[in-house]
Amino acid sequence: MDMMRELKNGVVAPSEGIGKWERAAWDVGVEVAGPNADDVDRLARFPHESLAAMRDAGLLSAPLPEEFGGGGANAAEMACAVRALAFHCASSALVLGMHTNEAFNLGRHGTTSPLRDFTREVAKNQLLLANANSEVGVGGDVARSICALNNVQQPWTLEKEALAISYGEYADAIMTTTRSSPDAAETDQIYVVLRRESFTLEPLSEWDTLGLRGTCSRSFRIIAEVDPGLVYSAPFATMANEGLGQVQQLMLSAVWVGIAEAAAAKAHAYVRAAARRSVGVVPPGALRVAEIVGELQAARSLLITSAIRFSSFVEGSEMSTANLTITLRDLKVSTSKLGVSISRAALEVCGIMGYKQDSPFSLLRIIRDAHGGLVMVSNDRYLHVNAQLLLAMKTL
Ligand SMILES: Cc1cc2nc3c(=O)[nH]c(=O)nc-3n(C[C@H](O)[C@H](O)[C@H](O)COP(=O)(O)OP(=O)(O)OC[C@H]3O[C@@H](n4cnc5c(N)ncnc54)[C@H](O)[C@@H]3O)c2cc1C
């Protein structure tokens, strides 16, 4: 892997990144996702135009292996693409990030012949992949399922009360955890691919939220026929430890870093405008911007170094070490907190111009979206698992 290129991608401003996929995502953000972001947020509607532009740019197939018609992008390249899009519209970036996680998993663990065929189809037709893992009754503890596959009779079926399925109504396929049979223990989980034509969704809630409103992550009862060929052969726990969990943390963190970059950019533009008005005077907010930039570089560096480390482990198949697992959970916790603190600091720099909705320096959507980072997989949940692992480690 060309580490210098990856670094140049992830530590500099996304507009100056040199990676192919980061550039493509930045262009989608500038031309389509950004101009529509406020409308998407206000109406809590799905960013259809962003999805169409992502498809045109080949971003949905980018994370799939080249041998199946994909773009062959690695996790670091995709993290940079997701952060570039998040600068303009966090909801659109989350769609790309969650899709990317499923696409990587398909490329890595979709080893059966029907799943290989499906992979080729996803690449060829730029299909959109969603997931329905959290469940009513277990919350964010995705290592347990109440839902069970009914494989006692033909056709196989399942019914699940999903806590949240982002863009479930618009996805071409939904991946979901389920117990492997009606008698299986709640941790005996498999992972199945449900194609659009094989399931129905009954909404159990609206999606009227503080932020990330364009993800349209309603609760749904999902009622599906399960194609035995589209069941991953590895248990869900294996995949969660060998890529799925780690990539999720990288992609979510990329969104929180992109949000932080958007907030910092507003603060920076605000003090530069003030400096132009009073040539020779350093505006008071400039000091705060200097502080923000320090935090931003920390967020960027955490993201890109973790992504590079993960990508090198993928090649060396060492990705499920406790150390990397802890690091990636911490990455998500740290970047989500930095997203909140940077966006709040940017508000203090921009003052009332940041507080107002109808201002070029408005931070309303950015601040609300940033707070989604704290709950989209609870930080406390990650910290508690890390706390347990750390007790068993001799060194940090
Ligand atoms: C924008 C958005 C999009 C989403 N999209 C999807 C999706 O597409 N698919 C999907 O499956 N899910 C999705 N989710 C759900 C998400 O992944 C989490 O599972 C969900 O937010 C968890 O719900 P919860 O707040 O009840 O958290 P829980 O993790 O159940 O936690 C509830 C409370 O208990 C505390 N807590 C829980 N466990 C522990 C613990 N072990 N230690 C300490 N404290 C704990 C938490 O801090 C929190 O206060 C989405 C969520 C959001 C916000």
Side-chain angles (χ1 to χ4, degrees), residues 91 94 98 102 130-135 138-142 160 162-168 174-177 207 209 211-213 215-218 248 252 256 371-385 388:
S91 291
L94 262 178
M98 286 188 270
E102 296 307 328
N131 78 84
N133 295 341
S134 54
E135 186 171 7
V138 295
D141 183 5
V142 296
K160 178 171 190 170
L163 185 61
I165 311 179
S166 291
Y167 55 92
I174 295 178
M175 288 36 178
T176 188
T177 47
W207 184 250
T209 51
L212 303 173
R213 291 164 60 83
T215 61
C216 300
S217 314
R218 298 164 87 178
Q248 182 191 30
L252 291 184
W256 318 142
H371 282 79
L374 306 177
V375 297
M376 189 171 178
V377 186
S378 150
N379 278 352
D380 278 356
R381 185 178 282 286
Y382 276 164
L383 287 172
H384 271 254
V385 191
Q388 271 176 318

Side-chain angles (χ1 to χ4, degrees), residues 21-22 25-26 59 76-86 93 96:
W21 300 112
E22 181 166 44
W26 180 261
L59 280 160
E77 290 174 292
M78 288 311 295
C80 292
V82 169
R83 91 168 171 140
L85 191 52
L96 179 61

Side-chain angles (χ1 to χ4, degrees), residues 213-262:
R213 291 164 60 83
T215 61
C216 300
S217 314
R218 298 164 87 178
S219 300
F220 291 100
R221 177 175 295 107
I222 183 161
I223 302 166
E225 267 188 26
V226 177
D227 177 348
L230 295 183
V231 176
Y232 282 92
S233 53
F236 177 71
T238 304
M239 292 187 288
N241 286 330
E242 291 181 12
L244 194 59
Q246 292 91 338
V247 175
Q248 182 191 30
Q249 285 137 21
L250 282 172
M251 295 307 140
L252 291 184
S253 301
V255 178
W256 318 142
V257 174
I259 290 174
E261 291 185 311

